Amino acid sequence: MNISVVIPTYNRCELLRRALLSVLSQTLLPTEITVIDDGSTDDTSVMIGKEFPAVNYYYQENCGVSSARNLGVHHATTDWIAFLDSDDEWLPEKLSRQTIALSANPASKICHTEEQWIRNGTRVNPPKKYAKKGGWIFAECLPHCAISPSTTLIHRSIFEDVGLFDITLPACEDYDLWLRITANYPVLLIEEPQIKKYGGHEDQLSQKFWGMDRFRINALEKILATSQLSSDNRYATIDMLLKKAEIHLNGVKKREKKEDINYYQQLIKRYQEAVREQE
């Protein structure tokens, strides 16, 4: 199985070095490694040139992580694509374990894994609600992001079918993609952790934006506007949208954002009417 690894990065020279070393320490090496530098102003390009000359390096003006990942998919030359965020780290058997699982399940086109959580330098146990699932997991993807990009190995044909990361979403772009994928494809799971997922640092998108659910609401509206959902999944999606919209409405009320208050009140009313029409 030929595999391309796509690593988006922005001003994370030291963390990127750690990520690259974890790829090169795999018991099954990938066919190619592609780093998309999303406008870094640090020593990323110099470090890559000196220490990792075999890595495919592309620079773009800062356009966001979705654009960087999409560019990486565009430059990848293989059918199988693995993503690794530059602040995460793979364990040595990650690609090997996934390749074995996919070979044993030739109809499968996406595989993800459990993960170790490292917060502020300390390993912590993830809350039970973040336990990874396999199979038809669309419902599990509705409350929160149930798949981490750094755990995935995906066949290119999936992107040709459901599209790439949405560059219009400043955050929760992975949540949006997993909804589109899991509505159409079952997911394989490696139950043992195969990555170290780091958190707690200031440049994470989750630290940058307040009210992250507003981006998830956008993603839920997007998929409801398509014909991809079964009737059960459609009902579950509307139910989750209403829950998230109510919570976000309370947030904008506290901040006295009048335009946002009106918008989310109207949105809730519209989907409540849609539920009544389905009953």
Side-chain angles (χ1 to χ4, degrees), residues 19 27 57 60 78 90 94 119 146 167 170 184 198 211 228 232 259:
T27 56
Y57 172 81
Q60 67 173 20
T78 66
W90 284 350
K94 193 262 187 188
R119 294 294 180 267
I167 62 173
N184 294 279
Y198 291 87
Q228 298 180 41
D232 287 346
E259 290 186 5

Side-chain angles (χ1 to χ4, degrees), residues 17 47 56 96 106 155 167 215 268:
R17 178 186 286 109
M47 185 272 290
N56 300 318
S96 176
H155 196 272
I167 62 173
F215 304 121
I268 290 168

Side-chain angles (χ1 to χ4, degrees), residues 77-88:
T77 63
T78 66
D79 285 336
W80 289 95
I81 297 168
F83 294 103
L84 174 58
D85 287 348
S86 55
D87 57 340
D88 291 333

Side-chain angles (χ1 to χ4, degrees), residues 238 242 266-279:
I238 293 175
L242 287 170
Q266 293 300 315
L267 182 146
I268 290 168
K269 181 180 178 181
R270 184 166 71 251
Y271 282 100
Q272 285 174 336
E273 292 174 352
V275 170
R276 286 194 288 269
E277 290 174 0
Q278 287 184 353
E279 293 175 344

Side-chain angles (χ1 to χ4, degrees), residues 149-214:
S150 295
T151 69
T152 57
L153 181 56
I154 306 175
H155 196 272
R156 178 184 295 276
S157 61
I158 285 185
F159 298 118
E160 295 169 352
D161 183 22
V162 307
L164 292 164
F165 291 94
D166 185 345
I167 62 173
T168 69
L169 289 173
C172 300
E173 75 295 330
D174 46 350
Y175 173 88
D176 170 77
L177 179 62
W178 309 141
L179 290 182
R180 286 182 275 132
I181 290 177
T182 58
N184 294 279
Y185 295 91
V187 178
L188 274 182
L189 172 66
I190 306 299
E191 295 182 355
E192 296 77 23
Q194 300 299 322
I195 79 160
K196 292 182 179 180
K197 183 177 177 62
Y198 291 87
H201 39 281
E202 293 181 354
D203 65 344
Q204 286 185 293
L205 288 178
S206 59
Q207 305 287 330
K208 184 177 180 181
F209 298 102
W210 75 271
M212 294 285 283
D213 264 349
R214 71 187 189 271

Side-chain angles (χ1 to χ4, degrees), residues 17-262:
R17 178 186 286 109
R18 181 183 67 191
L20 285 166
L21 289 173
S22 78
V23 175
L24 294 173
S25 297
Q26 291 294 294
T27 56
L28 175 67
L29 291 174
T31 305
E32 62 185 9
I33 304 170
T34 297
V35 168
I36 306 298
D37 186 342
D38 188 38
S40 293
T41 57
D42 61 7
D43 292 330
T44 292
S45 61
V46 175
M47 185 272 290
I48 292 288
K50 287 184 176 180
E51 301 180 32
F52 303 97
V55 166
N56 300 318
Y57 172 81
Y58 299 93
Y59 178 91
Q60 67 173 20
E61 295 299 324
N62 184 254
C63 296
V65 67
S66 292
S67 174
R69 289 187 185 128
N70 292 348
L71 182 61
V73 172
H74 172 75
H75 283 295
T77 63
T78 66
D79 285 336
W80 289 95
I81 297 168
F83 294 103
L84 174 58
D85 287 348
S86 55
D87 57 340
D88 291 333
E89 180 181 5
W90 284 350
L91 298 177
E93 295 187 351
K94 193 262 187 188
L95 291 182
S96 176
R97 292 289 300 275
Q98 289 183 300
T99 299
I100 292 169
L102 287 164
S103 297
N105 297 272
S108 297
K109 293 188 175 183
I110 175 172
C111 179
H112 73 139
T113 81
E114 266 291 0
E115 57 197 10
Q116 295 178 7
W117 277 23
I118 312 295
R119 294 294 180 267
N120 299 311
T122 301
R123 183 172 177 179
V124 299
N125 293 322
K128 290 183 178 180
K129 68 178 182 178
Y130 290 109
K132 304 305 179 187
K133 302 286 181 62
W136 290 95
I137 63 170
F138 179 82
E140 286 76 10
C141 289
L142 289 171
H144 52 259
C145 195
I147 300 174
S148 296
S150 295
T151 69
T152 57
L153 181 56
I154 306 175
H155 196 272
R156 178 184 295 276
S157 61
I158 285 185
F159 298 118
E160 295 169 352
D161 183 22
V162 307
L164 292 164
F165 291 94
D166 185 345
I167 62 173
T168 69
L169 289 173
C172 300
E173 75 295 330
D174 46 350
Y175 173 88
D176 170 77
L177 179 62
W178 309 141
L179 290 182
R180 286 182 275 132
I181 290 177
T182 58
N184 294 279
Y185 295 91
V187 178
L188 274 182
L189 172 66
I190 306 299
E191 295 182 355
E192 296 77 23
Q194 300 299 322
I195 79 160
K196 292 182 179 180
K197 183 177 177 62
Y198 291 87
H201 39 281
E202 293 181 354
D203 65 344
Q204 286 185 293
L205 288 178
S206 59
Q207 305 287 330
K208 184 177 180 181
F209 298 102
W210 75 271
M212 294 285 283
D213 264 349
R214 71 187 189 271
F215 304 121
R216 298 188 184 99
I217 291 167
N218 289 345
L220 293 169
E221 285 199 277
K222 273 181 54 185
I223 199 160
L224 283 169
T226 72
S227 58
Q228 298 180 41
L229 300 180
S230 67
S231 58
D232 287 346
N233 282 346
R234 181 175 179 80
Y235 184 84
T237 302
I238 293 175
D239 183 60
M240 184 57 63
L241 185 152
L242 287 170
K243 289 178 181 176
K244 290 186 179 297
E246 289 281 4
I247 293 170
H248 193 66
L249 176 60
N250 289 334
V252 297
K253 283 180 177 179
K254 290 179 181 178
R255 290 171 172 80
E256 299 181 347
K257 293 178 174 289
K258 293 183 179 180
E259 290 186 5
D260 287 351
I261 291 171
N262 181 65

